[in-house]
């Protein structure tokens, strides 16, 4: 059967990329985050094939990879197939049924953009395998298994935000996720006369893995020290005032990292209130403070993201702008008056090019559902 004939498949299963509106580098500290799933997605066309093989193909690559469902443990370093292979393995380890199937991947989430293309691939792979085998789809369970695959296959000790948003997002809504309890609330994306604009600085990511794990270790160190005198289970348990009273036992960078986490958690709380009240000026100013904290205290921005956020913040139609995702490259998210969006996009790209020599890319996207399964 033709691998590239969409109509020859039984199901079209997709999961979303995500933008994080606010709550950066707090998910692994038990904080709340506010991502939204996007219309930029990874789609898997899937059909059971009656064999013991999972055959993978991509719409934008000539490569084909075949995985034996009885030996899923054996695959490492299968290039583009790493995420699907890792996700299949985690699904199988969870005791779920896997059947041989053909899968065609089509991804519109730009790679390395900080918009979680990997989460979209992992989550949609598992949802497609579940669909082919007739297993029930529980988006939260899938998100947790996808997170496991990410940790095993990239060496990044990531939090749950990306996979959760990719699986459980909701059209026209952001997801307020409590990463300590996994409770969620959908917050309508009602931004009045404003829109969110996502721009990629197009600087290739590097050292993300090692720096990410280093930040995580620093926050764990801070928690360990603070726990000696406070009854807390995570940094997100502290208010900024409590932190100010207790932080004397912390030093240098460890103190800066912890302060970012505690204050960012507070900004999430304020941002959700601002969104619910329609106070866009407040929301914008929280985005800008978040960026400053990620730049000065958490040190995950870098020259290009700083230049892009600065160019955005300087535009008269912009109420606030910040980096989104892990940092060290990737995208900014800006809150912009709808009437000024076109001039914003143009001017920010020009200013950014002048400052760095990189061409930025602007994405037209909206809040969308997480996992979607359609019969073909
Ligand atoms: C990456 C990780 C997430 C989260 C963000 C930073 O996207 O996968 O778990 O930690 O960085 O907020």
């Amino acid at each position: 059967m033709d691998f590239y004939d969409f109509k020859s498949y039984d199901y079209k299963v997709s999961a979303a990329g995500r933008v994080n509106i606010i709550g950066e580098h707090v998910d692994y500290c038990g904080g709340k985050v506010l991502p939204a799933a996007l219309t930029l997605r990874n789609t898997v066309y899937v059909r059971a094939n009656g064999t013991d093989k999972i055959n993978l193909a991509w719409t934008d690559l000539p490569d084909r990879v075949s995985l034996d469902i009885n030996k899923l443990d054996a695959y490492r370093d299968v290039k583009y197939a790493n995420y699907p292979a890792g996700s299949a393995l985690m699904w199988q380890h969870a005791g779920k049924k896997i059947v041989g199937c053909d899968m065609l991947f089509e991804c519109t989430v730009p790679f390395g953009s900080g918009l979680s293309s990997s989460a979209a691939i992992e989550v949609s792979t598992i949802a497609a395998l579940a669909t082919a085998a007739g297993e029930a789809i529980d988006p939260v369970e899938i998100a947790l298994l996808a997170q496991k695959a990410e940790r095993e296959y990239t060496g990044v000790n990531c939090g749950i935000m990306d996979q959760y948003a990719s699986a459980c997002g909701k059209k026209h809504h952001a997801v307020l996720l409590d990463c300590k309890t996994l409770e969620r609330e959908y917050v309508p994306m009602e931004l009045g006369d404003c829109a969110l604009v996502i721009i990629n600085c197009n600087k290739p990511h590097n050292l993300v893995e090692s720096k990410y794990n280093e930040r995580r270790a620093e926050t764990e160190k801070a928690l360990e020290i603070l726990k000696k005198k406070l009854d807390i289970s995570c940094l997100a348990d502290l208010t900024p005032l409590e932190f100010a009273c207790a932080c004397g036992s912390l030093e240098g960078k460890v103190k800066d990292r912890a302060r970012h986490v505690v204050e960012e958690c507070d900004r999430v709380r304020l941002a959700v209130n601002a969104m619910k009240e329609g106070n866009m000026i407040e929301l914008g100013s929280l985005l800008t403070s978040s960026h400053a904290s990620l730049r000065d205290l958490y040190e995950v921005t870098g020259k290009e993201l700083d230049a892009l956020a600065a160019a955005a913040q300087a535009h008269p139609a912009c109420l606030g702008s910040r980096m989104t995702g892990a940092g060290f490259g990737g995208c900014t998210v800006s809150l912009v008056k709808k009437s000024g969006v076109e001039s914003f996009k143009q001017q920010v790209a020009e200013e950014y090019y002048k400052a760095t020599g990189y061409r930025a890319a602007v994405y037209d996207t909206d809040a969308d559902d997480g996992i979607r399964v359609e019969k073909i």
Side-chain angles (χ1 to χ4, degrees):
M1 256 202 284
D2 184 357
F3 263 91
Y4 302 97
D5 174 12
F6 299 124
K7 286 196 227 81
S8 66
Y9 287 83
D10 297 331
Y11 291 95
K12 179 178 172 184
V13 180
S14 67
R18 65 99 190 89
V19 63
N20 188 19
I21 299 169
I22 198 161
E24 215 63 85
H25 284 282
V26 302
D27 61 345
Y28 49 83
C29 299
K32 289 188 185 173
V33 292
L34 189 65
L38 296 175
T39 51
L40 299 169
R41 311 175 66 82
N42 186 66
T43 300
V44 183
Y45 295 85
V46 67
R47 63 185 173 222
N49 61 20
T51 72
D52 276 356
K53 296 273 172 7
I54 301 176
N55 299 318
L56 309 171
W58 291 265
T59 53
D60 58 345
L61 292 168
D63 306 46
R64 296 266 278 274
V65 174
S66 191
L67 308 169
D68 186 326
I69 60 175
N70 305 307
K71 293 190 209 144
L72 284 176
D73 263 321
Y75 302 102
R76 286 284 185 278
D77 230 1
V78 270
K79 292 198 288 181
Y80 325 104
N82 265 342
Y83 289 124
S87 305
L89 180 63
M90 295 308 142
W91 182 243
Q92 194 176 52
H93 277 178
K96 307 292 183 176
K97 184 171 165 204
I98 289 199
V99 297
C101 53
D102 303 332
M103 296 175 124
L104 174 65
F105 285 75
E106 184 180 47
C107 194
T108 58
V109 191
F111 295 117
S113 61
L115 300 179
S116 296
S117 55
S118 58
I121 292 170
E122 292 147 2
V123 169
S124 55
T125 298
I126 299 181
L129 288 171
T131 305
E135 289 269 10
I137 293 203
D138 172 346
V140 176
E141 181 184 34
I142 291 179
L144 289 166
L145 291 172
Q147 179 198 23
K148 249 186 168 176
E150 175 88 24
R151 286 182 170 177
E152 286 226 348
Y153 278 76
T154 62
V156 174
N157 198 8
C158 68
I160 185 62
M161 171 170 75
D162 303 349
Q163 291 78 14
Y164 195 101
S166 176
C168 307
K170 185 170 166 182
K171 203 175 168 118
H172 304 314
H173 289 76
V175 190
L176 175 62
L177 172 67
D178 184 331
C179 299
K180 190 173 164 186
T181 61
L182 291 191
E183 274 163 35
R184 67 165 177 242
E185 180 191 335
Y186 290 114
V187 182
M189 283 277 255
E190 280 160 12
L191 304 174
D193 59 351
C194 293
L196 289 178
V197 179
I198 299 170
I199 309 186
N200 192 343
C201 75
N202 271 336
K203 182 222 160 199
H205 275 225
N206 58 23
L207 295 177
V208 185
E209 293 85 0
S210 61
K211 295 224 175 109
Y212 185 94
N213 291 342
E214 187 183 292
R215 294 296 178 280
R216 201 171 164 151
E218 286 162 337
T219 58
E220 276 157 16
K221 171 107 190 125
L223 176 63
E224 196 188 301
I225 298 171
L226 291 170
K227 265 179 154 178
K228 291 191 181 135
K229 45 180 190 174
L230 296 170
D231 181 23
I232 53 171
S233 66
C234 57
L235 290 179
D237 285 345
L238 291 169
T239 64
L241 186 63
E242 285 163 347
F243 179 78
C245 297
C247 69
S249 50
L250 301 178
E251 283 176 351
K253 300 281 184 210
V254 168
K255 186 171 177 173
D256 288 349
R257 310 300 191 228
R259 162 161 298 134
H260 163 75
V261 171
V262 172
E263 293 178 355
E264 181 78 353
C265 288
D266 202 47
R267 279 188 285 272
V268 173
R269 185 179 62 79
L270 297 169
V272 171
N273 289 344
M275 249 170 104
K276 288 180 179 168
E277 286 162 8
N279 187 344
M280 293 301 111
I281 298 209
E282 165 82 351
L283 180 61
S285 107
L286 289 162
L287 296 188
T288 295
S289 324
S290 170
H291 186 87
S293 179
L294 289 156
R295 180 189 62 213
D296 302 335
L297 299 177
Y298 220 67
E299 297 182 289
V300 291
T301 55
K303 182 168 162 270
E304 292 76 15
L305 279 174
D306 287 341
L308 189 56
Q313 288 162 11
H315 191 276
C318 180
L319 301 184
S321 180
R322 61 180 287 274
M323 57 149 273
T324 182
F328 309 108
C331 290
T332 54
V333 56
S334 309
L335 187 67
V336 185
K337 292 255 189 218
K338 282 181 187 155
S339 56
V341 163
E342 285 317 310
S343 113
F344 174 83
K345 288 178 182 169
Q346 215 182 338
Q347 227 169 292
V348 170
E350 270 168 32
E351 292 299 321
Y352 174 68
Y353 181 68
K354 270 192 234 153
T356 63
Y358 285 107
R359 297 266 179 218
V362 183
Y363 303 121
D364 272 320
T365 181
D366 261 314
D368 199 3
D369 292 325
I371 294 170
R372 192 177 287 143
V373 178
E374 293 159 65
K375 181 107 183 70
I376 294 179

